[in-house]
Every structure is written in C-alpha cells, then in structure tokens.
Amino acid sequence: MIPSTVRIVDVGPRDGLQNEKQPVATAHKVELVHRLQAAGLREIEVTSFVSPKWVPQMADNAQVMADITRRSDVRYSVLTPNLKGLEAALPTRPDEVVVFGAASEAFSQRNINCSIAESVERFAPVVALAHEKGLKVRAAISCALGCPYQGEVTPDEVENIVRLMKGIGVDHCGVADTIGVGTPRRVQAAMERALKHFPIEEVSGHFHDTYGQALANIYACLEMGIHTFDASVAGLGGCPYAKGATGNVATEDVVFMLDGLGIQTGIALDALVDAGAFISEVLGRPPVSRAGKALLAKREKVAA
Ligand code: HMG
Ligand code: MG
C-alpha cells in the first residue's frame, strides 16, 4: 500500500539557489518563498547559515528570513552546520534547523571541512541548543548513494552516520542522493538503514535528478511507505561542493506524479508552475521541470 498523503519540503530557495553563480536579489528569493506558500507548500527550506566565503549566495540569510511574510501553517527551515550558524539563525525564528553530515568521509571534508566524526561532534551542541529553544532538528545525510570523490557508498556507511545522528538526538533523518546516481533498489537498501533507527514519519528522501532517476527513486520509497520528500521548484540547484550534480527533482514533476497516483499533497500544480516560471525567468533560463515545461506549453497552445 502506497501512502495516501505525501509531505513535500521545497528546498528550492536554499538547495536550489545556493548553487547559482549570478547574484539573486533578496527580494526575488523572498518572492519565491511567497509563491511557494501560496501554491500550498507547507514546508520550505529558506536559506542556510553557512560561511559566506563558502557559499556567497546565502549571505543574505537573515534578510531573507526577516522579509518573508509568514503563514502560521508553514514551517520554515534553515541549514545550520555549527553553533555559529545556529546562533545567527535563532533571532530569525526558524521553525526547524538542518544539520548536514555525509555518508562519505571525502565529501564531509570537502563540504564542511571536517571528518564525519568531527561533524557529529559539532552537531551535538547544535541539536541540544535547538531543542532547548523548542526547534525541531532535521539531519541530512549527503552522498548516501554515491560520492563525487569517493565513488561508491555502501548501506553500512549510510547506517553509520544515521546511527551517529540518532545518538545526538536529531528528530528526523533525510537520506540524500547528492549526485543523483541512486537507482530504486539501491535507494530502498539505503532507506532500510534509516528506518532501522527512525520512525517512518521521520525519514525522508532527497533526490537530485542528475541521471534522471529521481522520480523512480521516490516511487521506490512510496512502495516502502515513506511519505516525505524534498524537491526543488523548477528543478533548481545542486551543491557547490558536488560538481556536475544537477538540481533536486523538480517539485512540479513530483506533484504531477503524485496527482496522477491520487496521492494528496495540498499543492496546486498550476500555481506551482507559475512559481517555477517566475524563478526561471529571474535566472534567465527555462524551467528544468518537464511537467512545468509541458504545462506552460499547453497553456500557450490554449491561449493561441
Ligand atoms: P571552516 O573554515 O572549517 O570553519 O568551515 P571555521 O570554524 O574554521 O571558521 C572559518 C571562518 O568561517 C571564520 O571566519 C568563521 O567565523 C566563519 P573568519 O574568521 O575566517 O572571517 N564561519 C561562519 N560564518 C558564517 N556562518 C557560519 C560559520 N561558521 C564558521 N555558520 C563551515 C566550516 C561548515 C563553516 C564551512 O565549511 C561551510 O560553511 N560549509 C558550507 C557548505 C555548504 O553550505 N554546502 C552546501 C549545503 S549542503 C548540501 O547542499 C547537501 C544537501 O542538500 C543534501 C544533499 O543533497 O546531499 C543538504
Ligand atoms: Mg541537495
């Protein structure tokens, strides 16, 4: 039995935009968040409190958080790699923070400049302080299906970091295919390891679509009953420390598939397509989303 309802976290404003070389105006980031919430997204990853030297695009983190008009039914999350990040994030009142570790040692070093063990040591006080402030903590497990530096990543390596994250008390475990190399059965094997330590409500999938496998991988998760997924409007993004990796699966494509399966998301596809068209226009390129492009073309045909 596949789930009847799915929760989508749109990570476009963060994972999507972090990778853009051209500066994106704060006002455009804010407008994107507004359009996503108007389309029915109830979880939005807004920005990250990381070093602006490492990721210059996220340097306006506090301003974006200050400028968004919040809805009480939307959860706004931000990335916090260390205490410095959390301390900067707290006054901006996020609902949730994300610590991000990796299943591969090599990626941990390149992305956050420390080993897996050191990263977990750094995350522990972040989790404790976030909990003290009443915030939920999500853990992202990068490179769970493959690493741009190490190559293959095994389910044992995934379970190692999942167990460490559980040990420091994170509330949620997001399994991420940073470079989009996972295929359905391998994804299920990785997910099984997360499900050994976290309840199914607190396990999610984060799939980049580099090799066109993301929807198949989401379907493989649905078959297991997993019902929370990250996606990125217009298929924006990638990780600056995973060269060649394309964006997350496009939210429009995920919603089109889930609508077709009769699975509720609460998201209005037309408004979502508009949000994707908006940010793509800001960036000066067509949306990467296949469903988004098809629906825009269909509208034009009807209007002609
Ligand atoms: P470091 O250089 O080891 O840190 O970087 P440090 O503690 O030695 O500090 C060095 C400098 O950075 C100092 O400034 C600190 O103040 C500053 P300086 O004295 O040189 O002027 N600093 C900070 N500034 C602002 N905010 C902070 C912060 N921390 C230190 N939080 C660090 C370590 C983690 C900071 C760095 O490696 C970093 O910022 N990395 C960010 C990497 C990143 O954002 N990657 C993309 C997000 S992860 C992702 O996309 C994957 C995901 O989507 C899932 C998936 O697909 O896999 C989540
Ligand atoms: Mg990502």
Side-chain angles (χ1 to χ4, degrees):
M1 280 289 282
I2 62 173
S4 56
T5 304
V6 155
R7 195 157 49 117
I8 296 181
V9 183
D10 201 296
V11 299
R14 194 281 304 170
D15 202 355
L17 295 181
Q18 73 179 7
N19 206 35
E20 288 299 325
K21 299 281 177 291
Q22 54 181 316
V24 179
T26 304
H28 286 144
K29 296 175 183 174
V30 170
E31 167 89 21
L32 177 62
V33 171
H34 289 165
R35 283 174 177 262
L36 290 172
Q37 60 193 18
L41 267 304
R42 292 297 170 259
E43 302 227 15
I44 302 175
E45 201 171 88
V46 178
T47 185
S48 56
F49 287 82
V50 298
S51 160
K53 284 185 194 143
W54 284 62
V55 186
Q57 188 66 257
M58 298 284 107
D60 61 353
N61 42 30
Q63 197 58 51
V64 174
M65 288 296 279
D67 289 354
I68 53 179
T69 301
R70 299 194 194 202
R71 290 178 54 120
S72 57
D73 57 353
V74 174
R75 297 179 59 76
Y76 303 93
S77 55
V78 301
L79 266 57
T80 53
N82 51 20
L83 266 181
K84 189 178 169 80
L86 179 62
E87 277 157 7
L90 282 176
T92 74
R93 300 184 300 111
D95 297 297
E96 192 169 314
V97 297
V98 184
V99 292
F100 47 105
S104 114
E105 278 298 344
F107 190 75
S108 183
Q109 287 292 350
R110 302 285 181 109
N111 194 42
I112 51 175
N113 205 23
C114 61
S115 69
I116 293 172
E118 283 163 345
S119 76
V120 174
E121 253 170 59
R122 263 184 215 175
F123 300 148
V126 176
V127 178
L129 180 58
H131 281 165
E132 201 183 302
K133 302 291 180 187
L135 302 182
K136 184 170 176 177
V137 183
R138 204 145 42 90
I141 312 294
S142 290
C143 293
L145 277 304
C147 168
Y149 310 106
Q150 167 185 316
E152 208 173 305
V153 173
T154 65
D156 283 346
E157 287 172 293
V158 174
E159 191 170 354
N160 173 49
I161 176 78
V162 167
R163 192 186 284 114
L164 292 171
M165 290 289 201
K166 177 78 182 176
I168 58 169
V170 306
D171 305 296
H172 180 98
C173 177
V175 177
D177 185 5
T178 313
I179 55 170
V181 291
T183 44
R185 295 287 173 247
R186 292 192 54 234
V187 165
Q188 288 179 334
M191 289 294 175
E192 270 166 22
R193 302 305 183 98
L195 289 168
K196 277 170 73 175
H197 302 273
F198 288 85
I200 201 152
E201 302 72 43
E202 298 299 352
V203 170
S204 60
H206 173 114
F207 300 110
H208 285 259
D209 206 22
T210 319
Y211 289 84
Q213 302 300 299
L215 282 182
N217 291 337
I218 288 177
Y219 195 84
C221 291
L222 291 172
E223 285 185 330
M224 301 172 81
I226 293 167
H227 50 265
T228 309
F229 300 97
D230 293 352
S232 179
V233 67
L236 297 174
C239 173
Y241 295 96
K243 287 263 173 296
T246 62
N248 288 87
V249 64
T251 315
E252 298 92 311
D253 295 358
V254 179
V255 172
F256 187 86
M257 178 178 82
L258 296 175
D259 280 355
L261 289 165
I263 296 173
Q264 304 296 315
T265 60
I267 298 168
L269 186 53
D270 268 327
L272 181 64
V273 168
D274 289 337
F278 159 75
I279 192 63
S280 300
E281 200 179 315
V282 165
L283 298 172
R285 57 169 186 257
V288 172
S289 163
R290 304 279 285 270
K293 278 198 276 205
L295 289 166
L296 287 169
K298 197 169 159 189
R299 277 188 203 166
E300 268 179 34
K301 211 168 148 196
V302 170

